[in-house]
Amino acid sequence: MFRAQWMFELAPGVGSSNLETRPCRAGRGSILKAAADTKGRQELAKEEKARELFLKAVEEEQNGALYEAIKFYRRAMQLVPDIEFKITYTRSPDGDGVGNSYIEDNDDDSKMADLLSYFQQQLTFQESVLKLCQPELETSQTHISVLPMEVLMYIFRWVVSSDLDLRSLEQLSLVCRGFYICARDPEIWRLACLKVWGRSCMKLVPYSSWREMFLERPRVRFDGVYISKTTYIRQGEQSLDGFYRAWHQVEYYRYIRFFPDGHVMMLTTPEEPQSIVPRLRTRNTRTDAILLGHYRLTQDADNQTKVFAVITKKKEDKPLDYKYRYFRRVPVQEADHSFHVGLQLCSSGHQRFNKLIWIHHSCHITYKSTGETAVSAFEIDKMYTPLLFARVRSYTAFSERPL
């Protein structure tokens, strides 16, 4: 009987039962809507209560009552766990200006757009006499803030040094606002640009500052070494019994180290970077196979920066051979070997100017007796893998001259 009645009610066109069920369904919908509205009002009230407790905790924390602030923070987070991210700090619960300090934090981006001018304004507002820094604790010794501005700038030029250790300058600017201002001095960055590009950077256009030019204009990096790894397989000699032939995997590295004064070092060796990179920190290395030379930067019409270098082997004084001093020897024709290298500078990944691509590589042999020069160009193939920059983490400039 129940199944028959149920099928009858589901049948379309049922008059009496349909009329009886419509008011029931309408009443049920209104009840659900009223319940949802009540729940929404309860959530809003709970969030408003949590907001008031959180701002009260902020006020207690500003007054130094940390224990009371923790209690209010806890009560607020028990009501709404993510209340911290829902507060805009535009008003305080009591209207006494507790949230005014947080209104200033909302426009940090606009205020910190030019951090240098902001720090200069802060120093100007704080004291009538401009001081770059002040001692945090009282001391009987002479503080560095007593030094004149000219002496401080000379110290900063020593930090940069003739090796252009501008990474140390950026680390020094993190000390305080005064040091930040000194590290942004235009004269330091102008001298650094002249050191790298010479007279070709006399004009700032299209850059807005000398620092922006140094950071954005393509250049080789001086705080590390460009390294390429080449691996190939070659066929070895056949065994004596003729049953097998050995194959050898050859692996070697090319290292190129640039200096701000136009010098360059190049080394080809099978030794890994862990043992070679520390030897290339200065030009006074004792590695015998190293090549020394000069380089220059050029920029084509298509805005591609290229590096051209001429590298020669270190000249060594040969000791006199007294073994054959009483015998007449056949003179050996002396010759000078120089290598001409062309590289294209580009960037890869998040780092800038960290990749060098081979363009050409040739060997020039000049015979001293006749003055003739023979040129042998190497084919740029898969053996010439791009050189990737590896920064030396412990790099610190040890120069005897300031910038």
Side-chain angles (χ1 to χ4, degrees):
M1 292 174 61
F2 172 78
R3 182 176 179 82
Q5 185 180 359
W6 174 59
M7 293 295 293
F8 176 77
E9 291 177 356
L10 290 180
V14 179
S16 60
S17 61
N18 195 15
L19 292 176
E20 293 176 357
T21 55
R22 277 185 182 179
C24 180
R25 292 177 182 177
R28 186 180 302 173
S30 60
I31 293 174
L32 293 176
K33 185 177 180 181
D37 294 342
T38 304
K39 186 176 181 180
R41 286 194 296 269
Q42 290 178 355
E43 292 292 335
L44 291 177
K46 185 187 297 184
E47 185 174 337
E48 184 68 21
K49 181 64 176 178
R51 182 183 291 106
E52 293 180 2
L53 291 173
F54 194 90
L55 292 177
K56 184 66 175 178
V58 171
E59 181 182 0
E60 295 293 339
E61 185 178 359
Q62 288 180 344
N63 296 333
L66 299 181
Y67 182 75
E68 298 294 331
I70 291 175
K71 291 197 302 183
F72 286 115
Y73 279 134
R74 186 178 299 170
R75 290 174 58 187
M77 296 185 69
Q78 285 176 352
L79 294 176
V80 181
D82 58 343
I83 186 61
E84 181 181 1
F85 304 101
K86 294 184 177 181
I87 294 181
T88 56
Y89 304 104
T90 55
R91 67 177 185 87
S92 68
D94 297 331
D96 55 354
V98 175
N100 292 340
S101 59
Y102 293 91
I103 299 176
E104 300 176 359
D105 294 339
N106 290 332
D107 55 352
D108 280 345
D109 295 337
S110 60
K111 185 182 295 183
M112 299 298 179
D114 189 356
L115 199 58
L116 179 61
S117 60
Y118 175 73
F119 283 164
Q120 289 175 344
Q121 292 176 2
Q122 291 293 320
L123 292 177
T124 306
F125 292 156
Q126 288 179 1
E127 294 190 10
S128 57
V129 180
L130 180 62
K131 283 189 177 181
L132 291 177
C133 55
Q134 293 180 355
E136 185 177 0
L137 303 175
E138 295 183 0
T139 177
S140 59
Q141 299 178 353
T142 303
H143 194 257
I144 194 172
S145 60
V146 182
L147 296 178
M149 185 70 174
E150 294 79 6
V151 179
L152 280 175
M153 294 309 304
Y154 193 70
I155 294 175
F156 274 64
R157 289 175 57 187
W158 269 101
V159 171
V160 178
S161 75
S162 59
D163 289 338
L164 294 187
D165 187 10
L166 292 168
R167 182 175 179 83
S168 297
L169 181 67
E170 292 295 312
Q171 292 176 349
L172 188 61
S173 66
L174 301 177
V175 174
C176 62
R177 290 177 294 182
F179 280 18
Y180 184 91
I181 295 174
C182 290
R184 296 299 187 273
D185 184 68
E187 183 64 18
I188 292 179
W189 295 95
R190 187 185 72 85
L191 293 175
C193 292
L194 290 176
K195 189 83 172 176
V196 176
W197 295 287
R199 296 182 178 180
S200 63
C201 66
M202 298 302 294
K203 296 182 179 180
L204 273 175
V205 180
Y207 305 102
S208 60
S209 64
W210 293 106
R211 183 174 182 271
E212 183 183 355
M213 175 187 286
F214 187 86
L215 297 178
E216 299 295 334
R217 186 171 176 177
R219 56 176 173 81
V220 292
R221 297 181 59 173
F222 311 118
D223 56 342
V225 182
Y226 288 89
I227 306 173
S228 71
K229 180 181 178 181
T230 304
T231 304
Y232 67 93
I233 298 176
R234 68 174 179 85
Q235 188 176 5
E237 296 181 357
Q238 193 172 4
S239 62
L240 296 177
D241 52 8
F243 284 106
Y244 68 92
R245 182 184 296 273
W247 290 84
H248 304 278
Q249 181 177 352
V250 182
E251 184 178 286
Y252 64 92
Y253 297 86
R254 286 191 180 98
Y255 302 90
I256 296 182
R257 171 84 158 90
F258 295 96
F259 294 93
D261 56 356
H263 286 83
V264 62
M265 295 191 308
M266 182 176 175
L267 178 63
T268 303
T269 176
E271 298 186 43
E272 295 187 354
Q274 289 80 358
S275 60
I276 292 297
V277 170
R279 305 183 198 174
L280 302 179
R281 296 182 63 179
T282 62
R283 291 190 294 270
N284 301 325
T285 179
R286 297 182 180 181
T287 307
D288 296 333
I290 201 164
L291 303 176
L292 302 177
H294 295 80
Y295 74 93
R296 60 183 176 88
L297 296 174
T298 61
Q299 191 168 7
D300 298 340
D302 52 356
N303 292 330
Q304 290 185 355
T305 302
K306 298 180 180 179
V307 184
F308 296 96
V310 179
I311 306 172
T312 58
K313 192 174 182 180
K314 294 174 61 177
K315 294 182 179 181
E316 299 178 356
D317 298 332
K318 296 182 179 180
L320 296 176
D321 193 357
Y322 295 100
K323 183 178 180 180
Y324 302 99
R325 59 181 177 178
Y326 298 111
F327 299 93
R328 187 175 181 179
R329 303 181 60 187
V330 179
V332 180
Q333 190 175 9
E334 297 183 357
D336 292 334
H337 295 73
S338 63
F339 298 92
H340 293 234
V341 177
L343 302 165
Q344 180 179 342
L345 181 65
C346 55
S347 303
S348 64
H350 298 287
Q351 298 185 10
R352 299 178 63 84
F353 322 129
N354 65 332
K355 188 176 182 180
L356 292 174
I357 301 176
W358 291 88
I359 301 176
H360 71 83
H361 185 202
S362 60
C363 178
H364 294 238
I365 304 174
T366 304
Y367 299 98
K368 293 183 178 180
S369 58
T370 60
E372 296 179 354
T373 302
V375 180
S376 176
F378 303 101
E379 182 182 358
I380 304 299
D381 54 6
K382 63 180 181 179
M383 305 295 293
Y384 288 86
T385 56
L387 294 113
L388 298 179
F389 181 79
R391 186 176 63 83
V392 183
R393 294 184 180 180
S394 59
Y395 172 78
T396 305
F398 294 97
S399 177
E400 299 179 355
R401 293 174 298 172
L403 176 63

